[in-house]
Amino acid sequence: MNEIKTSNGIVKIISKDFSEPTNFLNIDVAKKNLLDLKDVMDDTGVKFGLIYGTLLGAYRENNFIKHDYDTDLFVLEEAKQDLLDS
């Protein structure tokens, strides 16, 4: 089990293999989760963005890609500690 040290203490990380998806996204749930995450990130001041398939879907389809199975996000390295401390 991996651990990350933050100013709030140790956070334990449990790995999960996402290489073979078991099912596709529920687009309504994914949208709600992304908007909820945006609210949290806005409150903490941590900037994030969409990447990979999630960005492609937003640009090309104005939505998630129907056959996608995850949400791809990034946080800049300089905001990493702020995110971990949130």
Side-chain angles (χ1 to χ4, degrees):
M1 183 176 302
N2 296 325
E3 298 178 339
I4 297 175
K5 293 180 184 178
T6 74
S7 60
N8 293 325
I10 302 292
V11 176
K12 294 183 180 181
I13 306 298
I14 300 171
S15 306
K16 178 158 175 43
D17 180 11
F18 290 102
S19 60
E20 296 197 26
T22 56
N23 54 7
F24 298 124
L25 276 177
N26 177 320
I27 291 177
D28 293 331
V29 172
K31 282 182 189 178
K32 181 178 180 339
N33 288 343
L34 186 56
L35 291 173
D36 288 348
L37 175 68
K38 182 186 180 317
D39 289 342
V40 170
M41 298 297 248
D42 287 348
D43 288 346
T44 60
V46 176
K47 303 234 183 280
F48 75 101
L50 307 178
I51 56 174
Y52 308 131
T54 305
L55 178 59
L56 175 63
Y59 178 78
R60 184 179 68 190
E61 301 177 24
N62 200 28
N63 208 336
F64 286 87
I65 296 173
K66 291 179 184 174
H67 61 272
D68 205 350
Y69 57 89
D70 63 358
T71 302
D72 307 303
L73 306 171
F74 75 89
V75 173
L76 297 177
E77 184 66 30
E78 55 264 22
K80 179 179 171 182
Q81 196 60 47
D82 293 335
L83 176 63
L84 294 172
D85 291 344
S86 299

